[in-house]
Amino acid sequence: MALRILTRRGFRGGVHPPENKELTAEKPIEILPPPPVVVIPVQQHIGAPGQPIVQAGDRVRVGDRLTEPGGYVSVPVHASISGIVKAIEPRPHPLGTTALSIVIEGDGQDEWSDTVVDDEAWDQLPAEEIRERIRMAGLAGMGGAAFPTHVKLSPPPNKPIDTFILNGAECEPYLTADHRLMLEYPEEIVRGMKIILRVLRPAKAFIAIEDNKMDAVRAMRQAVQREGLSCEVVALPVKYPQGAEKQLIKALTGREVPRGGLPMDVGCLVHNVGTARAIYQAVAKRRPVIDRVVTVTGRGVVEPKNLLVRIGTPFSFVLEHCGGIRDGAARVLMGGPMMGIAQFTLDVPVVKGTSGIVVLNQEEVDRRQMAVCIRCARCIDACPMGLMPTTLYHLVKAKRFEGAQDYGVLDCIECGSCAYVCPAGLPLVHAMKWGKMEVSRKLRAAG
């Protein structure tokens, strides 16, 4: 096992926004008490939603399955508290929509399902059994992408994986959930990585962490040694969006994922450190995803913290545990300030992809007035995907979606680097999202 420190930038473009991680970087993970009521959306992943297998009035325990997967690219959801199912109805979702949700009123007993049991032979399981346990535990990428993990661990035979990367970069400003996980649960993360390697059997494996978290680099390196894992721990220079999988692959291997392609097209696969820990819990403890670590931060929060939160817990309950919101708070985001989603209500629940709840005050919110593009090309220099953001912006604004497709709008990873550097304050990310949505809709309609 080796430690490598990269001293040069490994991908094109990118930006250096203020990190603001000092608010919570030294805060150990606290366990948030179970809330009196949870609201669990049946869809918290990319793919088909699950179908409820409970009904109002049913009693459930922690870890009981609530839905049947809606297809291969689908995972179930589970009860995160014990109690009574009060309703199955549409509720606000943190992605800005409404979603069918299962509402559970807690009984205060926190009784767990008898299906959650340790398996002493977890490291002897065949790959198919591992994938099935991961699927039925409801795992979807904990880094925010929320793609079903069992699908990602099932590359087709013509796309063999020779390189696996465990992603601990956590490049998004403010967020420290992955940082604390690596400091406090390094063995569980490494055991999860061992399970991944058992399934994929790649020739090379990396653990990639930005060099503003050298304590985590040391913790993971020691855990790798203790667990006898063969992999390289790499400290990467701080640069946003270092944690995006295509940029991480480029930085570590020099390979470029082709336009419209996936990491498996270049023999690579990337998983987040939180996903690795959840994989270990799913396989070795048969524990489904019923909670996750959330960074609650920003200068609009009275007491920023890292919390272990039950899935379905309302944002309002989480924020109350942090002393509430300060006067002058201007915006609440799910996720960080670069890729996060603004919330219109605090009734939305924590879902599997909620890495952070960030409350920004007036000074932290970008209040630039939109002006005319001055053709400075800073957005082109900043785009890590090599796109022409303002050209795409004007094409989308004119509803010329075929042109936007030709210029690669679907390759946009919505990292926000272009908008961050734009002196004209153009809503570039909003235009990209709209363009991607319209192009995707037209492609689906065309079959």
Side-chain angles (χ1 to χ4, degrees):
M1 192 275 296
L3 168 64
R4 180 156 56 110
I5 300 178
L6 295 186
T7 56
R8 59 183 175 82
R9 296 173 183 173
F11 63 94
R12 75 173 305 280
V15 294
H16 295 273
E19 296 179 23
N20 286 308
K21 292 178 181 286
E22 69 280 4
L23 296 173
T24 53
E26 302 298 324
K27 302 280 186 73
I29 298 168
E30 291 183 27
I31 299 175
L32 183 71
V37 175
V38 293
V39 178
I40 301 179
V42 300
Q43 185 166 22
Q44 303 179 38
H45 57 271
I46 293 174
Q51 300 300 315
I53 56 174
V54 294
Q55 55 188 352
D58 285 354
R59 185 173 188 279
V60 294
R61 299 163 299 177
V62 181
D64 280 344
R65 189 156 57 89
L66 302 176
T67 60
E68 186 69 24
Y72 177 63
V73 187
S74 181
V75 293
V77 296
H78 301 77
S80 58
I81 61 174
S82 61
I84 303 297
V85 176
K86 301 301 290 186
I88 302 175
E89 60 189 19
R91 289 291 186 98
H93 191 286
L95 293 183
T97 61
T98 59
L100 186 66
S101 303
I102 298 171
V103 182
I104 302 172
E105 186 175 274
D107 56 14
Q109 299 180 26
D110 207 31
E111 181 184 358
W112 283 67
S113 170
D114 53 18
T115 61
V116 181
V117 292
D118 289 354
D119 183 349
E120 299 297 330
W122 63 271
D123 56 353
Q124 304 299 318
L125 295 172
E128 282 309 309
E129 174 65 17
I130 290 172
R131 292 191 189 96
E132 183 61 14
R133 288 192 185 188
I134 289 171
R135 179 191 186 210
M136 296 314 290
L139 257 78
M142 307 290 278
F147 191 77
T149 303
H150 69 281
V151 179
K152 208 168 176 181
L153 288 175
S154 307
N158 62 336
K159 305 280 187 183
I161 303 299
D162 63 34
T163 302
F164 173 74
I165 301 170
L166 188 65
N167 185 359
E170 197 170 48
C171 61
E172 179 79 36
Y174 288 87
L175 303 186
T176 57
D178 287 349
H179 184 185
R180 295 307 312 182
L181 271 176
M182 289 186 285
L183 289 177
E184 299 179 42
Y185 299 97
E187 279 82 10
E188 292 193 3
I189 293 170
V190 171
R191 288 170 189 166
M193 183 173 177
K194 289 174 76 172
I195 293 170
I196 294 169
L197 299 183
R198 183 175 176 84
V199 172
L200 297 176
R201 300 190 181 281
K204 293 182 180 178
F206 299 95
I207 298 176
I209 305 168
E210 283 194 332
D211 61 12
N212 58 354
K213 296 180 276 288
M214 289 306 292
D215 51 355
V217 171
R218 290 189 290 273
M220 293 301 294
R221 190 183 185 203
Q222 291 165 2
V224 164
Q225 288 176 326
R226 286 194 293 270
E227 294 293 326
L229 190 66
S230 176
C231 76
E232 186 176 1
V233 181
V234 182
L236 298 160
V238 175
K239 184 185 178 186
Y240 179 86
Q242 188 81 255
E245 61 181 9
K246 292 178 182 178
Q247 283 62 45
L248 202 52
I249 290 167
K250 173 64 176 173
L252 285 171
T253 70
R255 302 174 190 174
E256 290 202 29
V257 178
R259 183 176 175 179
L262 297 169
M264 69 174 68
D265 293 323
V266 293
C268 296
L269 194 143
V270 181
H271 268 304
N272 166 268
V273 292
T275 306
R277 179 177 182 241
I279 286 173
Y280 168 70
Q281 293 183 326
V283 174
K285 300 178 179 300
R286 309 206 70 156
R287 184 184 192 276
V289 180
I290 60 99
D291 55 18
R292 68 154 297 142
V293 178
V294 179
T295 300
V296 186
T297 185
R299 292 178 175 80
V301 176
V302 173
E303 188 179 359
K305 296 182 177 183
N306 293 296
L307 296 173
L308 184 64
V309 182
R310 300 287 176 102
I311 300 298
T313 302
F315 276 28
S316 55
F317 186 86
V318 178
L319 288 165
E320 284 173 15
H321 190 77
C322 296
I325 293 177
R326 294 182 187 277
D327 292 340
R331 187 173 297 169
V332 178
L333 302 169
M334 182 180 82
M338 297 299 285
M339 297 189 73
I341 300 171
Q343 301 299 308
F344 64 90
T345 172
L346 298 182
D347 292 335
V348 293
V350 168
V351 295
K352 297 172 185 175
T354 306
S355 55
I357 299 174
V358 178
V359 184
L360 303 177
N361 63 21
Q362 295 287 351
E363 288 72 32
E364 293 172 296
V365 172
D366 183 0
R367 296 290 187 189
R368 284 176 291 177
Q369 293 295 314
M370 191 168 68
V372 176
C373 173
I374 59 173
R375 296 184 178 275
C376 64
R378 291 181 191 174
C379 58
I380 296 174
D381 292 338
C383 179
M385 296 302 294
L387 302 177
M388 301 171 67
T390 50
T391 299
L392 286 165
Y393 168 77
H394 291 299
L395 287 168
V396 170
K397 190 177 177 184
K399 299 185 179 179
R400 294 170 57 190
F401 298 113
E402 289 185 3
Q405 182 181 357
D406 291 341
Y407 273 82
V409 71
L410 291 180
D411 288 327
C412 174
I413 60 173
E414 303 175 18
C415 66
S417 296
C418 55
Y420 178 76
V421 299
C422 178
L426 298 178
L428 297 171
V429 179
H430 295 79
M432 298 292 180
K433 289 182 177 180
W434 182 25
K436 290 172 69 174
M437 183 179 69
E438 290 296 329
V439 171
S440 298
R441 185 177 62 80
K442 289 178 184 296
L443 289 175
R444 284 196 299 270

